[in-house]
């Protein structure tokens, strides 16, 4: 499978696309309206404890308190008391770790029993890490089981076990990697846990130790902040979306990383040169005149994610709709009838739909409960083929997924880990014209589309020069006039073109029109 990472930067946002065999499979967007918070560590304060739902709410200084389920409360609650000098009665417990015995404990995290139930009280300080972005009216979800991800391993300050990724198949290599971490730990008399990542396989000891030392030093700085800080307090900010994608996804199976931004190109080169120098030749700077996402066909696929109807290659289509409780996906065969046997036709459509559905789920980053209504097949063997196809495609997904076999009604139920707002939400906002009954493209994304239109217009050497009139919806007009140097002024100077902005209430929110000022000719479609 050919895998590439394509990064596009515009004035207001950075978009990172992951392609597999030339098709868009994942999309990450970073802009001023969306700030990545997953992975951030906070010193918070317990606001409420509600045993009835087995959860607590933690004040992190956000508009809404963070949600902490009791199952996400680890030893950290008791370790924090020790870190803060609170020697309250804490029992000892046996460790059921399968790894070799832990080193002699001589730091402030002393051996202790795990409490049967989390001892959380209102007003109590607690270190938590954000695991899920806020979704709708729900605040962030957090855990007290803290982890710090590096290039080759994940540092677990409140654990003791050393494990390796399941994707590392060679048991001898697993033991070698684990021993590197254990030897570092033993030689310094420290206690912590770690998970060796897939990219650590075949890496030399020096690279692993350097990554480990870096993470350990970061944790020591966090400890200092905990001792002196007052909650709510940000203890650690995870990497930007771009750097985290490179850290987590840029591996040997990626053919290249290409970007049209000099700044991002240099940042990636610097990161890769330090952490994975063997991959440096795979980093490319795009210098062409045509828009990078247009060349890869990504722009059209992004636009498709805004719609609920997705066509299939063999005919037919799938429909993706969101309800309050779940996502519902319907498979329609359309006019496909290659075989005279209806069961065969239905099976082929369902198999093609399975591949596209998984791609769309990953691309849109749909989470929670997902129900798929396939075309009816009656043979149990065919039902299993559809189920197996879904499982095979979901192996590419990094999120945790549970799939139930197809029911007698042709329904497949799926639960998928929700970490962040799905991509549709990140490039749309509630329509101010319909009272929130639907969604439209965000002002930021409309501005990005306007800038891409201007780029295409400038590339046309046959065009006649002259002033342009840009007509937009009044809300977009206001957005383009904002700032000390307005967005429309910035675009005019950047592309050396005279643009007059005009609001037009007759236009739909996401529409815009470019008119030649001299001839009043509408040239919007020509460069769209």
């Amino acid at each position: 499978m050919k895998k590439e990472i394509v990064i596009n930067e515009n004035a207001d946002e950075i978009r990172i696309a992951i392609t597999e065999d030339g098709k868009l499979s994942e999309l990450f967007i970073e802009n001023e309206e969306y700030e990545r918070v997953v992975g951030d560590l906070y010193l918070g304060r317990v606001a409420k404890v509600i045993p009835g739902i087995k959860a607590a709410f933690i004040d992190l200084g956000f508009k809404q308190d963070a949600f902490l389920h009791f199952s996400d409360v680890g030893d950290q609650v008791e370790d924090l008391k020790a870190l803060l000098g609170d020697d309250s009665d804490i029992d000892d417990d046996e460790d059921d770790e399968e790894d070799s015995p832990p080193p002699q404990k001589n730091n402030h995290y002393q051996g202790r029993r795990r409490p049967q139930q989390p001892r959380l009280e209102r007003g109590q300080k607690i270190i938590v890490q954000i695991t899920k972005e806020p979704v709708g009216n729900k605040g962030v979800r957090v855990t007290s089981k803290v982890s710090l991800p590096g290039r080759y391993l994940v540092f677990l300050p409140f654990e003791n076990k050393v494990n390796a990724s399941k994707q590392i198949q060679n048991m001898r290599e697993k033991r070698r990697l684990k021993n590197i971490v254990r030897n570092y730990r033993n030689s310094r008399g420290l206690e912590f846990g770690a998970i060796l990542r897939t990219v650590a396989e075949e890496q030399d000891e020096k690279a692993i130790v350097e990554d480990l030392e870096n993470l350990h030093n970061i944790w020591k700085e966090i400890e200092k902040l905990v001792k002196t800080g007052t909650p709510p307090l940000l203890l650690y900010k995870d990497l930007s979306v771009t750097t985290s994608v490179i850290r987590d996804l840029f591996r040997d199976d990626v053919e290249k990383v290409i970007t049209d931004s000099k700044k991002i190109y240099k940042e990636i080169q610097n990161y890769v040169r330090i952490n994975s120098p063997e991959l440096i030749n795979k980093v490319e700077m795009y210098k062409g005149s045509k828009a990078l996402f247009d060349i890869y066909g990504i722009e059209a696929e992004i636009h498709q994610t805004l719609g609920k109807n997705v066509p299939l290659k063999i005919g037919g289509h799938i429909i993706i709709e969101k309800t309050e409780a779940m996502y519902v996906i319907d498979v329609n065969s359309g006019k496909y009838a290659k075989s005279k046997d209806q069961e065969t036709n239905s099976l082929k459509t369902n198999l093609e739909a399975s591949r596209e559905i998984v791609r769309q789920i990953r691309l849109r980053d749909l989470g929670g409960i997902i129900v798929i209504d396939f075309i009816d097949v009656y043979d149990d063997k065919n039902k299993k083929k559809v189920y197996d196809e879904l499982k095979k495609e979901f192996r590419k997904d990094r999120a945790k997924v549970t799939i139930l076999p197809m029911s007698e009604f042709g329904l497949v139920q799926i639960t998928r880990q929700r970490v962040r707002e799905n991509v549709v939400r990140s490039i749309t906002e509630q329509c101010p014209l319909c009272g929130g009954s639907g969604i439209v493209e965000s002002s930021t994304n409309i501005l990005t589309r306007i800038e891409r239109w201007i780029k295409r217009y400038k590339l046309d050497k046959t065009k006649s020069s002259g002033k342009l009139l840009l007509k937009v919806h009044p809300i977009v007009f206001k957005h383009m006039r904002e700032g000390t140097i307005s967005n429309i002024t910035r675009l005019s100077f950047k592309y050396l073109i005279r643009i007059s902005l005009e609001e037009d209430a007759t236009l739909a929110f996401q529409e815009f029109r470019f008119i030649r000022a001299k001839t009043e000719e509408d040239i919007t479609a020509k460069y769209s």
Side-chain angles (χ1 to χ4, degrees):
M1 179 174 64
K2 182 181 179 182
K3 193 172 182 180
E4 296 177 319
I5 300 176
V6 186
I7 306 173
N8 162 241
E9 182 182 37
N10 286 297
D12 296 304
E13 69 180 11
I14 298 171
R15 301 179 300 170
I16 305 108
I18 313 296
T19 67
E20 295 174 353
D21 291 331
K23 297 193 74 175
L24 183 62
S25 62
E26 291 185 72
L27 179 67
F28 303 86
I29 296 177
E30 184 176 14
N31 55 41
E32 293 179 358
E33 295 180 7
Y34 170 78
E35 181 184 4
R36 172 188 165 92
V37 295
V38 168
D40 293 355
L41 266 64
Y42 279 84
L43 178 62
R45 196 180 294 278
V46 178
K48 285 182 288 187
V49 180
I50 307 179
I53 61 171
K54 296 183 179 180
F57 289 89
I58 313 299
D59 177 15
L60 301 182
F62 297 168
K63 290 182 180 179
Q64 295 165 304
D65 290 336
F67 179 83
L68 174 64
H69 194 270
F70 286 172
S71 63
D72 291 320
V73 180
D75 290 343
Q76 178 270 352
V77 173
E78 302 303 324
D79 288 330
L80 181 57
K81 292 180 179 179
L83 180 59
L84 296 172
D86 181 358
D87 295 325
S88 56
D89 56 334
I90 302 171
D91 299 325
D92 291 332
D93 190 15
E94 296 178 359
D95 194 309
D96 61 354
E97 184 179 358
E98 296 177 2
D99 292 320
S100 57
Q104 187 66 35
K105 302 169 185 176
N106 62 1
N107 62 350
H108 53 250
Y109 303 126
Q110 299 300 315
R112 55 177 64 88
R113 280 187 186 274
R114 263 184 204 172
Q116 294 297 315
Q117 292 182 343
R119 288 184 271 179
L120 297 174
E121 298 176 359
R122 186 175 179 180
Q124 176 183 339
K125 291 182 180 180
I126 184 170
I127 301 175
V128 292
Q129 185 167 33
I130 298 176
T131 58
K132 292 184 180 180
E133 302 276 2
V135 178
N137 295 322
K138 297 179 181 178
V140 298
R141 181 160 181 165
V142 296
T143 179
S144 70
K145 300 171 183 178
V146 173
S147 63
L148 293 176
R151 174 63 176 168
Y152 300 115
L153 55 86
V154 178
F155 184 83
L156 308 173
F158 297 118
E159 300 291 334
N160 189 45
K161 293 183 179 180
V162 178
N163 292 313
S165 167
K166 292 180 181 178
Q167 294 184 39
I168 301 177
Q169 302 293 326
N170 189 311
M171 296 306 296
R172 181 178 293 179
E173 176 64 7
K174 276 191 175 184
R175 284 194 297 271
R176 183 187 76 87
L177 293 171
K178 288 182 181 181
N179 285 334
I180 291 173
V181 177
R182 292 193 187 108
N183 291 339
Y184 176 90
R185 196 173 61 176
N186 292 337
S187 65
R188 289 158 179 79
L190 300 173
E191 181 182 352
F192 59 80
I195 300 172
L196 278 306
R197 309 182 76 165
T198 308
V199 289
E201 190 170 14
E202 304 300 333
Q203 293 294 329
D204 60 37
E205 181 174 347
K206 182 181 178 183
I208 304 295
V209 170
E210 284 179 355
D211 196 30
L212 182 54
E213 284 182 335
N214 178 53
L215 295 172
H216 184 223
N217 288 334
I218 291 173
W219 179 248
K220 287 193 290 187
E221 292 301 315
I222 292 172
E223 287 181 321
K224 292 177 184 177
L225 286 174
V226 171
K227 291 179 180 179
T228 59
T230 302
L233 175 67
L234 176 64
L235 299 172
Y236 171 76
K237 181 73 181 171
D238 199 13
L239 301 175
S240 67
V241 174
T242 305
T243 309
S244 64
V245 167
I246 296 300
R247 178 192 67 195
D248 297 339
L249 301 181
F250 190 19
R251 304 173 183 172
D252 290 335
D253 62 338
V254 175
E255 290 201 1
K256 69 177 176 181
V257 174
I258 184 168
T259 179
D260 55 11
S261 166
K262 290 181 180 179
K263 179 184 175 184
I264 292 175
Y265 173 71
K266 290 178 181 178
E267 286 177 357
I268 295 174
Q269 275 206 320
N270 291 337
Y271 180 86
V272 172
R273 190 176 287 113
I274 295 171
N275 295 282
S276 301
E278 71 281 3
L279 301 177
I280 194 70
N281 292 331
K282 293 186 176 184
V283 183
E284 295 183 16
M285 175 68 202
Y286 175 71
K287 297 179 180 179
S289 56
K290 192 176 180 181
L292 180 59
F293 271 28
D294 282 349
I295 289 177
Y296 279 81
I298 295 171
E299 206 65 67
E301 294 198 62
I302 292 176
H303 183 71
Q304 192 181 73
T305 64
L306 295 172
K308 64 179 185 179
N309 195 312
V310 181
L312 299 175
K313 282 183 179 179
I314 62 173
H317 58 275
I318 61 175
I319 299 173
I320 304 172
E321 293 188 291
K322 186 184 186 305
T323 70
E324 188 67 26
M326 67 186 74
Y327 288 94
V328 179
I329 302 176
D330 186 41
V331 180
N332 291 292
S333 61
K335 297 180 180 179
Y336 177 74
K338 188 173 182 179
S339 171
K340 292 182 179 180
D341 179 31
Q342 181 60 39
E343 179 84 358
T344 301
N345 291 332
S346 297
L347 175 61
K348 288 183 178 180
T349 302
N350 284 341
L351 292 176
E352 173 67 22
S354 297
R355 292 185 283 271
E356 185 60 33
I357 285 169
V358 175
R359 189 176 80 92
Q360 290 293 328
I361 288 174
R362 293 174 60 204
L363 174 56
R364 299 172 188 233
D365 204 11
L366 306 184
I369 300 172
I370 303 168
V371 177
I372 306 172
D373 183 9
F374 283 101
I375 301 168
D376 289 338
V377 286
Y378 301 98
D379 191 327
D380 287 342
K381 290 182 180 179
N382 290 335
K383 289 182 179 181
K384 188 174 185 304
K385 286 180 181 178
V386 176
Y387 174 66
D388 289 343
E389 188 69 20
L390 283 171
K391 287 202 301 181
K392 183 191 78 174
E393 291 298 311
F394 269 121
R395 290 193 191 106
K396 304 172 186 176
D397 196 356
R398 292 177 295 121
K400 294 179 181 178
V401 179
T402 302
I403 314 170
L404 296 182
M406 184 183 290
S407 72
E408 59 182 308
F409 300 111
L411 300 177
V412 172
Q413 301 173 65
I414 298 170
T415 60
R416 184 174 183 269
Q417 179 188 26
R418 179 191 284 120
V419 175
R420 59 188 172 106
E421 279 272 35
N422 70 69
V423 73
V424 175
R425 290 289 183 183
S426 68
I427 58 176
T428 60
E429 60 188 21
Q430 275 200 336
C431 176
L433 307 177
C434 65
S437 61
I439 57 174
V440 293
E441 198 173 0
S442 68
S443 299
T444 301
N445 208 59
I446 293 170
L447 179 59
T448 300
R449 286 201 295 117
I450 289 172
E451 182 172 356
R452 288 197 289 270
W453 187 98
I454 295 172
K455 282 183 179 179
R456 297 185 189 110
Y457 172 80
K458 289 288 289 184
L459 287 172
D460 185 2
K461 305 301 182 182
T462 65
K463 69 180 183 301
S464 58
S465 60
K467 188 176 181 180
L468 295 181
L469 174 63
L470 172 58
K471 293 184 177 183
V472 294
H473 186 275
I475 295 175
V476 180
F477 176 90
K478 182 181 177 182
H479 178 72
M480 295 193 72
R481 286 292 190 189
E482 289 176 348
T484 306
I485 300 176
S486 68
N487 288 314
I488 188 64
T489 302
R490 177 185 55 77
L491 289 174
S492 296
F493 278 102
K494 182 176 180 179
Y495 295 99
L496 300 176
I497 184 172
R498 290 183 297 157
I499 304 174
S500 178
L501 187 65
E502 182 180 300
E503 57 182 313
D504 186 347
T506 64
L507 291 176
F509 181 71
Q510 66 271 26
E511 287 184 309
F512 61 86
R513 291 282 180 269
F514 273 99
I515 313 292
R516 291 192 193 279
K518 190 174 182 179
T519 63
E520 296 185 350
E521 177 191 0
D522 187 338
I523 58 172
T524 311
K526 188 174 181 181
Y527 302 101
S528 292

